[in-house]
Amino acid sequence: MPPMPSNAGGGGMRGPSTFDKWKMGAMLGGSVGLIMGFLFGGFNIMRYGAGPNGPLRTLGQYMLGSGATFG
């Protein structure tokens, strides 16, 4: 199959900008971090207990810390 002819005048589709790629990477990293924090925090709460802050606050601290690290 012959290659598609290229238009010299431009106007074709452009890919995502560098900023769009950066935003997408930050969102994906933050999402992965939140999930990892949920899993790791949930496991630690079941194993060692929630401590004085309670389970939800402790889990939230794990999730936000992990999300900030990955994102």
Side-chain angles (χ1 to χ4, degrees), residues 19-33 67-71:
F19 184 68
D20 289 335
K21 291 178 185 179
W22 185 85
K23 283 193 309 186
M24 187 181 302
M27 286 191 300
L28 287 173
S31 299
V32 168
T69 299
F70 281 93

Side-chain angles (χ1 to χ4, degrees), residues 34-51:
L34 285 175
I35 292 170
M36 292 300 294
F38 178 77
L39 294 173
F40 183 71
F43 177 75
N44 277 340
I45 289 172
M46 286 189 294
R47 188 169 181 192
Y48 300 114

Side-chain angles (χ1 to χ4, degrees), residues 48-60:
Y48 300 114
N53 290 331
L56 288 180
R57 184 173 175 133
T58 304
L59 185 61

